[in-house]
Amino acid sequence: MAVLVDKKSRIIVQGFTGKEGSFHAGQMIEYGTNVVGGVTPGKGGKDHLGKPVFNTVADAVEKVDADTSIIFVPPRFAGDAIMEAADAGIKVIICITEGIPVQDMVKVKAYIEDKDCRLVGPNCPGVMTPGEAKVGIMPGFIHKKGRIGIVSRSGTLTYEAVDQVTKAGLGQSTCIGIGGDPIIGTTTKEAVELLMNDKKTDGIIMIGEIGGTMEAEAAEYVKMHGTKPVVGFIAGQTAPKGRTMGHAGAIIGGAEDTAAAKMKIMKKCGIAVVKSPADIGKTMLKALEKAGKLKTKKKTTTRKKRTAKK
Amino acid sequence: MNLHEYQGKELLAKFGVPIQRGKIATSASGAVKAFKELQKETGTKWAVIKAQIHAGGRGKGGGVKIAKSQKEVKQHAGNIIGMMLKTPQTPGGLDGPGKLVRKILIAEDAYAPDFDACKEFYVSILMDRQRKQNVIIYSTEGGMDIEHVAETTPHLVHKEYIDPTLGLQSFQARKVAFNLGLSGTAFKNMTKFIANLYKAFVQSDASLFEINPCLKDVKDNIIAVDCKVSLDDNALFRHPDLAAMRDTDEEDPTEVEAKAVGLNYVQLDGNVGCMVNGAGLAMATMDIIKLSGGEPANFLDVGGTADAARVEQAFRIILKDPKVKAILINIFGGIVRCDRVANGVVDAYKNMGNIKVPIIVRLQGTNADIAKKIIDESGLEVKSAILLKDAAAAVKKALK
């Protein structure tokens, strides 16, 4: 089984009938994702995009056995939506919403701590297991089923990495967008750990950015328990101190959360750190080769196939 | 969003946190009037004239003065209002241009009548990202740079973590007061101070409160003499009164303009402008510019809709900066189609007419090939690229 989501995941969409929710739920269904329904308070009993709408997450769990939820609820209600999903027994909660107040997330994090669930996000592109489930807002067509796991705090930069991996003739096992907020559910380390223990993953790409200490913790984990090649990149090498760079969590507070400091620790822990984001794909290829996890012949054929297609 | 000292104090006072009282003035004569009123209300003999700008270390640059008479109030106020105040925290530091002082706070002398009998503490509240909890940081070493205290005498900096579901407990407020070495009335006042301060922090959705110094005066009152308050922008929808306190004079004018049209822009010092969709990719694009031999002139996230109108707005904002020698547009089209962005770039370029710097457009993702064709066939002085490494090479070439 893949990491976090696969073809058996029973997915509901919170904020199902809203503009964002409708659009992306449609895209997910089109990709072949197993969307079993959605939740919009007050619209229970109706059908939307050919799937049942429920008033509460608890109803969706009871009636259609939902075990995974993706949240498109506006920021002021999103914290509440996460807690509702956790309370109803949803196992994987993926929150796309950007702009949730930090103090709301402080409470949410404490609330879900004892619950048997995993939160991914908020402020993230979602989770993608190519060929099985697209639970997010990422463009499906750039992905290809394969054996590289990707962990990232950003959206379009993740797509960039995905695209490079696909163009390098490799593919992705699962891509986890963990989110750009100061408080998020699944940390870099936890996501790396999931992929490290996944039998379908041969190599891991870890994309971080300035702010916080998550990448350092992940690097320490890789040093202690790493069994697969890891390629790393930190965005914001040129970011000034004390300014929020788009993502609420991307702000340099002290000496430890600069890009340079993080890259140094990652390197020390055995991660192949790239300075340029243009080198992610080719560095992964090299790292796999070095680890003996690449059949060179196979690589060339896939490459040729792709060019032929074009 | 940051507040001025006087705004922060207003906020604290609403929650029953005792503050050093003061009045705001924008002219020397206004300062004298404010001083007279303040004397009537508080009985203060002297006044402290404090420049109101969004930066710490104001005293070091001459932005804080003690006035012992009306004449001195007028004199200091006249000197401070309109000055370009340089502090270690203003742009460029003490060697930079400084920040224009528009307002001053005429504050009571909280240390009267016996400066030496007073004691200064340090108290701050913030959210600890690692623990995902709010934390009160406090020290007996008030009035000093806390980072320096933490480095040289870490045992003098204490931390109290707050349970998110239960909030601050009485024992925690007592612990703070005991650790600060207080007893009697001062002890009681400090526990009240901490409790109200924490309430203010949570209920205003603050991201930082820094009270330095926090003063024990001769009557054992605990008073916030200075305060730095930052608020969570994402929570301002809950606080229209606080949102109205935004002082755009303190922000970069181009950033204010960008914000008004929904662009996320941060002004930097370099020579290559950039326009990107997504914050992470925008930071990565800045890094690419640096690796190509340039320096990023800005951070700009155009967000999800990169149509002609938006691209044009972004162009106009980037080109306001005369240092910009080239522009790199980097769009990864997922939901946004690259051909639409390409048309947007071409239309914006034509609308603007006289763009004199080389432009490199990298469009990748949905319909990238069609997009490249649109750019290449437009006849405009625009270099196109699909791969990031090709875009980087084009930037390098443009800078030569």
Side-chain angles (χ1 to χ4, degrees), chain A residues 23-24 27 75-76 98-104 106-107 109-111 134 137-139 141-142 153-157 159-161 163-164 167 180-185 187 209-213 217 233-241 243-251 253 257 259 275-279 282 310, chain B residues 126-134 147 162-165 198 201-202 204-207 232-238 252 255 264-268 276-291 294-296 298-299 301 330-335 362 364-367 369 386-390 392:
Chain A
F23 176 76
H24 289 292
Q27 298 269 312
R76 64 175 77 195
E98 174 173 9
I100 302 178
V102 174
Q103 292 299 327
D104 288 7
V106 168
K107 271 186 225 143
K109 206 47 194 176
Y111 181 85
K134 167 176 129 78
I137 59 173
M138 63 290 280
F141 75 96
I142 58 170
R153 277 166 74 177
S154 107
T156 43
L157 184 54
Y159 312 160
E160 176 66 43
D163 189 60
Q164 287 183 31
K167 288 220 164 70
D181 273 0
I183 296 188
I184 52 174
T187 61
E209 54 193 38
I210 53 164
T213 53
E217 289 153 25
F233 173 72
I234 302 290
Q237 297 164 60
T238 48
K241 193 187 166 187
R243 297 297 310 265
T244 308
M245 305 302 279
H247 287 154
I251 176 167
D257 61 357
K275 269 196 163 168
S276 166
D279 297 338
K282 80 174 185 207
K310 269 186 182 173
Chain B
L126 50 90
M127 195 275 295
D128 183 302
R129 283 175 72 163
Q130 217 166 350
R131 303 262 301 240
K132 297 161 180 80
Q133 288 180 326
N134 297 328
E147 279 170 23
I162 315 300
D163 186 295
T165 42
Y198 189 74
F201 181 84
V202 173
S204 60
D205 277 291
S207 48
D232 179 0
D233 287 297
N234 286 339
L236 287 176
F237 68 84
R238 286 200 275 248
D252 182 284
E255 288 179 17
N264 205 331
Y265 176 90
V266 178
Q267 174 78 56
L268 301 167
V276 190
N277 66 334
L281 191 60
M283 278 188 275
T285 304
M286 286 161 48
D287 297 344
I288 285 252
I289 289 170
K290 172 96 175 175
L291 291 167
E295 288 286 341
N298 65 277
F299 165 96
D301 176 5
N330 186 10
I331 304 286
F332 200 105
I335 307 306
R362 186 268 179 152
Q364 173 65 296
T366 316
N367 294 352
D369 297 342
I386 289 184
L387 294 180
L388 199 48
K389 67 175 196 320
D390 298 340

Side-chain angles (χ1 to χ4, degrees), chain A residues 105-249:
Chain A
M105 280 311 298
V106 168
K107 271 186 225 143
V108 167
K109 206 47 194 176
Y111 181 85
I112 63 170
E113 203 173 40
D114 304 330
K115 302 268 187 302
D116 178 25
C117 68
R118 173 174 290 286
L119 171 67
V120 178
N123 191 9
C124 77
V127 181
M128 169 72 145
T129 298
E132 299 200 30
K134 167 176 129 78
V135 193
I137 59 173
M138 63 290 280
F141 75 96
I142 58 170
H143 296 79
K144 196 184 129 200
K145 199 171 178 65
R147 302 188 61 85
I148 304 300
I150 300 178
V151 178
S152 169
R153 277 166 74 177
S154 107
T156 43
L157 184 54
T158 315
Y159 312 160
E160 176 66 43
V162 166
D163 189 60
Q164 287 183 31
V165 165
T166 302
K167 288 220 164 70
L170 304 163
Q172 305 83 34
S173 51
T174 299
C175 306
I176 311 170
I178 58 172
D181 273 0
I183 296 188
I184 52 174
T186 300
T187 61
T188 312
K189 183 217 147 204
E190 287 165 350
V192 166
E193 192 175 353
L194 287 172
L195 293 166
M196 201 61 88
N197 295 326
D198 174 38
K199 285 192 188 106
K200 291 185 173 170
T201 300
D202 283 344
I204 300 167
I205 293 172
M206 175 178 138
I207 298 169
E209 54 193 38
I210 53 164
T213 53
M214 288 196 310
E215 293 85 358
E217 289 153 25
E220 292 295 340
Y221 168 83
V222 170
K223 188 180 163 192
M224 299 295 286
H225 307 281
T227 51
K228 301 169 186 177
V230 181
V231 172
F233 173 72
I234 302 290
Q237 297 164 60
T238 48
K241 193 187 166 187
R243 297 297 310 265
T244 308
M245 305 302 279
H247 287 154

Side-chain angles (χ1 to χ4, degrees), chain B residues 206-391:
Chain B
S207 48
L208 173 72
F209 272 8
E210 189 174 43
I211 315 296
N212 190 23
C214 166
L215 188 75
K216 178 180 88 83
D217 73 3
V218 288
K219 289 181 181 154
D220 281 341
N221 294 311
I222 304 295
I223 301 165
V225 173
D226 191 4
C227 73
K228 184 179 176 189
V229 172
S230 300
L231 304 171
D232 179 0
D233 287 297
N234 286 339
L236 287 176
F237 68 84
R238 286 200 275 248
H239 310 285
D241 53 327
L242 297 177
M245 286 183 176
R246 172 161 245 132
D247 182 355
T248 46
D249 282 341
E250 287 294 317
E251 297 169 21
D252 182 284
T254 317
E255 288 179 17
V256 173
E257 196 190 324
K259 203 186 165 94
V261 295
L263 295 169
N264 205 331
Y265 176 90
V266 178
Q267 174 78 56
L268 301 167
D269 283 334
N271 55 357
V272 181
C274 56
M275 187 192 305
V276 190
N277 66 334
L281 191 60
M283 278 188 275
T285 304
M286 286 161 48
D287 297 344
I288 285 252
I289 289 170
K290 172 96 175 175
L291 291 167
S292 305
E295 288 286 341
N298 65 277
F299 165 96
L300 200 168
D301 176 5
V302 292
T305 47
D307 53 13
R310 219 166 163 70
V311 171
E312 190 175 329
Q313 280 167 337
F315 262 136
R316 287 191 192 282
I317 279 165
I318 293 172
L319 287 168
K320 281 202 166 178
D321 182 349
K323 294 192 294 291
V324 168
K325 296 284 174 281
I327 298 175
L328 171 58
I329 301 178
N330 186 10
I331 304 286
F332 200 105
I335 307 306
V336 197
R337 277 164 37 205
C338 289
D339 51 328
R340 289 185 66 173
V341 179
N343 281 323
V345 171
V346 172
D347 289 350
Y349 197 105
K350 284 182 179 159
N351 282 345
M352 293 184 63
N354 56 343
I355 298 179
K356 291 195 180 68
V357 299
I359 293 175
I360 298 115
V361 184
R362 186 268 179 152
L363 294 165
Q364 173 65 296
T366 316
N367 294 352
D369 297 342
I370 305 171
K372 187 171 188 313
K373 218 171 147 198
I374 292 170
I375 299 284
D376 291 345
E377 289 171 1
S378 67
L380 302 175
E381 282 299 306
V382 179
K383 284 261 167 298
S384 68
I386 289 184
L387 294 180
L388 199 48
K389 67 175 196 320
D390 298 340

